[in-house]
């Protein structure tokens, strides 16, 4: 195991380096840069840009240098904790992300916990009561949850929340708290609004996980070791939870690689529809505006979480399922 972990950490370095090259190249591919887009936006609304200020910013952040030099400066800055400057928000990238990061983590964490609490019991019930009326009914709701787009559900819940509960449409809090520091009143306002995005984002995730739990558990329940355990007289609940349910969790552990970046990025389209103060809309806006340092640094953070999540999931799979063995390096 130690050899495998050491080998994976060695592989992570060139992997992240290659990802950083791809991210930087893709962001640089569109013609022009942020400053040209900014000048065009000002012209569209009839204002004049301060060209001297723009030239000073270009020189300060190396936009007058060749692309390879700018890439090396960007990567070198990240290694020292300097993620660059966001021209869109006119502040360091760490300050821009920091204001939204904890709200994104809060929404995503609550959504994931709710998804797990609903999906596992429903999936177990559907698998152990196959082809019953309950199984058919839960399957129907699950398919509806998968079929309805999140943005449509967002529009419906926004309307119902405003009509039935008087909750303001959009945002994670009342608008009077948007620019204020955290307080008890602001926290209560967040709790009042958070249930809407949690339900919307968690609907499709819960429906999909129920289907996977049911399918994997049904596959395990028909295997020989389950029949042997039942024949030996073990309690049905112990037979279910100790062996087949544990083995059916392999897909869940494998998803850790995608769960970690999802906690940070959030549901981007839903966040845009609901005007949430999370990192999703910020990332989309940064990509549209070619705000290179903000978009590139955030995408690199997501890539790092993905690589770490895949490593954690591989180690957890080896611990959970004794049939899985990990080996480092090449094998003959």
């Amino acid at each position: 195991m130690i050899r495998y972990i050491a080998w994976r950490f060695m592989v992570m370095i060139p992997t992240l380096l290659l990802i950083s090259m791809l991210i930087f190249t893709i962001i640089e591919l569109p013609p022009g840069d942020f400053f040209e887009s900014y000048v065009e936006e000002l012209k569209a609304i009839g204002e004049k840009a301060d060209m001297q200020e723009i030239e000073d910013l270009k020189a300060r952040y190396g936009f007058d240098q060749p692309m390879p030099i700018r890439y090396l400066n960007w990567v070198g800055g990240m290694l020292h904790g300097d993620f660059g400057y966001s021209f869109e928000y006119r502040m360091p990238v760490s300050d821009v992300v920091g204001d939204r990061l904890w709200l994104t983590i809060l929404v995503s964490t609550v959504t994931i916990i709710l998804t797990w609490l609903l999906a596992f019991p429903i999936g177990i019930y559907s698998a152990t009561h196959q082809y019953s009326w309950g199984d058919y009914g839960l399957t129907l709701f699950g398919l509806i949850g998968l079929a309805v787009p999140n943005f449509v559900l967002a529009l419906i819940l926004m309307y119902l929340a405003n009509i039935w509960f008087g909750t303001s449409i959009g945002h994670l809090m009342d608008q009077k708290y948007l620019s204020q520091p955290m307080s008890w009143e602001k926290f209560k306002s967040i709790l009042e609004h958070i249930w809407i995005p949690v339900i919307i984002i968690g609907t499709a995730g819960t429906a999909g996980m129920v289907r996977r739990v049911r399918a994997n558990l049904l596959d395990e329940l028909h295997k020989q070791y389950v029949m042997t355990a039942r024949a030996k007289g073990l309690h049905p609940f112990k037979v279910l939870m100790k062996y087949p349910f544990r083995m059916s969790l392999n897909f869940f552990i494998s998803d850790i690689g995608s769960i970690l970046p999802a906690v940070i990025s959030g549901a981007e389209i839903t966040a845009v529809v609901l005007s949430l103060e999370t990192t999703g809309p910020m990332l989309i806006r940064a990509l549209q505006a070619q705000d290179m340092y903000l978009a590139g640094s955030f995408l690199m953070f997501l890539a790092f979480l993905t690589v770490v999540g895949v490593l954690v999931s591989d180690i957890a799979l080896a611990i959970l399922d004794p049939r899985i063995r990990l080996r480092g390096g090449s094998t003959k």
Side-chain angles (χ1 to χ4, degrees):
M1 178 68 78
I2 295 176
R3 181 186 175 190
Y4 175 80
I5 295 174
W7 176 72
R8 286 294 295 270
F9 271 109
M10 292 176 60
V11 173
M12 285 171 58
I13 296 175
T15 300
L16 291 174
L17 186 61
L18 179 60
I19 292 173
S20 68
M21 293 179 182
L22 291 174
I23 289 174
F24 189 88
T25 302
I26 291 173
I27 293 178
E28 290 287 326
L29 277 179
D33 52 28
F34 170 81
F35 301 103
E36 294 183 12
S37 301
Y38 177 65
V39 171
E40 293 299 324
E41 287 181 4
L42 289 180
K43 288 182 178 179
I45 60 177
E47 295 186 10
K48 187 176 181 181
D50 188 345
M51 300 305 299
Q52 183 59 45
E53 178 187 4
I54 291 176
E55 293 300 326
D56 292 341
L57 287 174
K58 283 186 176 182
R60 184 187 307 172
Y61 293 100
F63 278 79
D64 55 345
Q65 298 178 351
M67 190 173 74
I69 301 299
R70 285 188 281 123
Y71 167 75
L72 293 176
N73 292 335
W74 174 57
V75 173
M78 285 194 295
L79 294 176
H80 293 87
D82 180 12
F83 298 97
Y85 186 83
S86 171
F87 305 105
E88 177 77 11
Y89 294 91
R90 296 183 179 273
M91 62 177 66
V93 169
S94 56
D95 294 340
V96 177
V97 177
D99 293 338
R100 296 170 175 259
L101 188 59
W102 75 270
L103 286 174
T104 308
I105 294 175
L106 176 63
V107 173
S108 299
T109 303
V110 174
T111 303
I112 292 172
I113 292 174
L114 178 65
T115 299
W116 292 348
L117 291 177
L118 293 176
F120 286 122
I122 295 174
I124 293 173
Y125 176 85
S126 294
T128 54
H129 296 76
Q130 188 181 17
Y131 303 135
S132 65
W133 284 107
D135 181 28
Y136 284 129
L138 293 172
T139 299
L140 175 62
F141 280 110
L143 293 176
I144 293 174
L146 289 172
V148 177
N150 281 354
F151 70 90
V152 175
L153 188 60
L155 295 174
I156 295 173
L157 283 186
M158 286 169 62
Y159 174 78
L160 295 179
N162 185 260
I163 297 299
W164 291 351
F165 303 104
T167 303
S168 59
I169 298 176
H171 301 290
L172 273 175
M173 64 198 77
D174 291 330
Q175 295 193 19
K176 62 181 179 181
Y177 298 117
L178 290 178
S179 58
Q180 295 185 10
M182 180 53 65
S183 62
W184 176 244
E185 295 298 327
K186 182 175 180 178
F187 183 71
K188 288 195 298 183
S189 179
I190 293 174
L191 293 180
E192 180 185 353
H193 290 74
I194 196 174
W195 66 271
I196 300 176
V198 165
I199 292 176
I200 295 168
I201 300 171
T203 300
T206 302
M209 184 168 287
V210 166
R211 304 302 300 163
R212 287 184 290 171
V213 171
R214 180 183 182 276
N216 283 271
L217 191 53
L218 280 174
D219 184 56
E220 294 293 330
L221 286 174
H222 292 92
K223 291 186 176 179
Q224 188 65 42
Y225 72 90
V226 178
M227 299 179 186
T228 303
R230 290 171 177 169
K232 288 184 176 181
L234 290 181
H235 192 277
F237 183 78
K238 186 175 183 179
V239 173
L240 174 67
M241 301 305 294
K242 187 175 182 180
Y243 299 108
F245 179 67
R246 197 178 87 179
M247 296 301 101
S248 68
L249 290 179
N250 285 1
F251 83 91
F252 169 71
I253 301 299
S254 301
D255 280 349
I256 294 178
S258 59
I259 287 177
L260 286 182
V263 168
I264 304 301
S265 63
E268 291 85 354
I269 303 302
T270 304
V272 171
V273 173
L274 293 177
S275 301
L276 302 182
E277 292 74 25
T278 56
T279 54
M282 176 203 70
L283 175 60
I284 293 176
R285 176 57 188 166
L287 291 171
Q288 292 174 336
Q290 292 182 273
D291 194 351
M292 179 264 163
Y293 291 114
L294 177 57
S297 299
F298 193 76
L299 290 174
M300 275 303 302
F301 187 45
L302 294 181
F304 173 76
L305 289 178
T306 301
V307 173
V308 172
V310 171
L311 175 61
V312 171
S313 67
D314 288 345
I315 296 173
L317 280 172
I319 296 173
L320 178 70
D321 192 339
R323 297 172 295 182
I324 297 176
R325 292 293 180 266
L326 303 179
R327 298 180 184 271
S330 61
T331 59
K332 294 183 180 179

